[in-house]
Amino acid sequence: MMQTFYSPAKINLFLRVLSRRLDGYHQIASLFQTINLHDLLHISFAEEDLLTCDDPSIPIDRSNLVLKAVALFKHKTALSFGIRIHLEKLIPKEAGLGGGSSNAATTLWALNQLCGCPVEEKDLLSWASEIGSDIPFFFSHGTAYCTGRGEIVRCLPMLPKLTFWLVKPNQGLSTQMIFNKLDLNHRLIADDPETILSGFFSGKPSYLNDLERPAFEICPFLVEVKSKLLEAGFHTVSMTGSGSAFFCIGNPVELPSFVKTMFHKQLTFTSRLSNQWYQQKV
Ligand code: C5P
């Protein structure tokens, strides 16, 4: 029997990069939030493992985080089975929306359910960091403060729901390239991340992202996109993760016409209940 699992995107309401680590990663501090833009994973047991995807530009070999999650789950639990997964992609890639990471987290959750819950969620969360820094976050309830490489997850209460526009310029950005380009001596933001974090819970949010600067250096077109969105009447336009998508808050009279040539959608925050995965509506 085939089952369908909802795999939400995330945005980073703020993201500070604190230092470069000896292992090549960066120490970050970021407020992550799931949003109601999602992929779908259609999963059933099968003779052999097989991943398919409706988007031909997504690799479906072992480099895909979904298959990495399948291999990780089998390795950790020592269970053996075959699984067929069809991925229906709606989250833009190379956008900073965590699509691949969410797919991996959803795969881990789904396999555990389909195998009769042999392990606890906290085990899935800790294993997840072995295949990607952003995957553990999705085992929160949808709002979390993430530190370390991103894999240390502090679950937080839901924030007041906010409606925003997501705009994804056609050029995508590679996370690794953006982190490599970041000059830690030239960050605009010096604020303490815990202070920024508390601002979101006391009605004084600061939407900041240290990765905007390197992204703008690599892709100057993004500077133009951001300033046109601000001119149109949004009071906040902030890049999510390593880009290239922006979330835009405010009430412009009209969306600027160039946005219509890009992926754009009005969205809101989402969350999940304890012992359930994310669903279409909560
Ligand atoms: O962990 P993940 O595989 O998603 O990271 C992709 C790349 O992004 C890493 O290889 C690294 O170059 C960069 N990265 C980083 N610091 C982080 C997270 C990711 O430098 N905290």
Side-chain angles (χ1 to χ4, degrees):
M1 195 185 63
M2 194 191 67
Q3 287 196 46
T4 297
F5 296 85
Y6 178 93
S7 179
K10 59 85 177 160
I11 55 173
N12 299 86
L13 293 171
F14 81 89
L15 193 160
R16 288 230 45 212
V17 184
L18 307 176
S19 60
R20 193 160 276 145
R21 303 170 15 153
L22 292 173
D23 62 7
Y25 282 89
H26 293 76
Q27 205 67 13
I28 66 159
S30 179
L31 178 56
F32 281 61
Q33 175 63 57
T34 48
I35 60 173
N36 65 342
L37 170 68
H38 64 276
D39 293 337
L40 291 172
L41 272 73
H42 306 285
I43 308 185
S44 53
F45 285 115
E47 289 286 307
E48 285 182 355
D49 292 344
L50 176 68
L51 173 65
T52 53
C53 182
D54 62 348
D55 178 346
S57 74
I58 303 285
I60 47 170
D61 62 4
R62 281 162 195 271
S63 69
N64 190 299
L65 278 170
V66 167
L67 288 183
K68 287 191 181 175
V70 171
L72 181 75
F73 185 82
K74 288 186 184 181
H75 171 71
K76 295 285 187 183
T77 59
L79 293 170
S80 76
F81 54 85
I83 202 87
R84 171 166 161 46
I85 303 181
H86 178 67
L87 174 56
E88 216 181 306
K89 223 39 197 143
L90 296 160
I91 306 172
K93 59 179 180 172
E94 297 194 320
L97 295 167
S101 301
S102 172
N103 296 164
T106 303
T107 302
L108 290 172
W109 168 274
L111 293 182
N112 195 40
Q113 292 296 309
L114 296 172
C115 292
C117 296
V119 299
E120 292 181 33
E121 264 183 56
K122 66 172 172 43
D123 300 315
L124 299 174
L125 184 152
S126 78
W127 300 346
S129 67
E130 293 180 25
I131 54 171
S133 310
D134 287 353
I135 308 173
F137 155 70
F138 290 94
F139 291 97
S140 71
H141 287 177
T143 308
Y145 179 58
C146 300
T147 54
R149 281 192 287 132
E151 89 288 15
I152 303 171
V153 179
R154 187 199 299 169
C155 296
L156 295 170
M158 267 185 82
L159 287 162
K161 280 220 169 156
L162 181 76
T163 304
F164 62 92
W165 279 91
L166 188 78
V167 175
K168 159 71 179 54
N170 296 333
Q171 179 165 352
L173 292 174
S174 135
T175 303
Q176 194 171 4
M177 242 170 98
I178 298 301
F179 272 107
N180 286 344
K181 183 78 183 170
L182 175 73
D183 180 350
L184 285 163
N185 298 315
H186 286 102
R187 281 164 307 167
L188 293 176
I189 318 158
D191 313 33
D192 168 42
E194 291 277 354
T195 310
I196 305 174
L197 178 64
S198 55
F200 280 86
F201 290 88
S202 61
K204 292 191 198 72
S206 303
Y207 302 93
L208 308 162
N209 185 344
D210 277 330
L211 295 176
E212 265 193 5
R213 190 185 173 112
F216 289 179
E217 281 167 11
I218 287 178
C219 183
F221 174 60
L222 297 180
V223 182
E224 206 180 308
V225 172
K226 178 165 173 164
S227 64
K228 283 190 178 156
L229 288 165
L230 286 167
E231 267 168 39
F234 288 110
H235 62 74
T236 299
V237 176
S238 185
M239 200 178 78
T240 171
S242 54
S244 60
F246 291 97
F247 58 92
C248 314
I249 311 169
N251 293 302
V253 181
E254 206 183 2
L255 284 181
S257 59
F258 77 91
V259 165
K260 292 176 187 133
T261 65
M262 302 171 180
F263 176 95
H264 63 285
K265 211 169 168 150
Q266 195 169 30
L267 295 164
T268 188
F269 298 164
T270 188
S271 62
R272 72 178 177 106
L273 302 170
S274 294
N275 302 317
Q276 283 184 16
W277 197 239
Y278 300 90
Q279 295 175 358
Q280 195 89 29
K281 282 202 180 72
V282 171

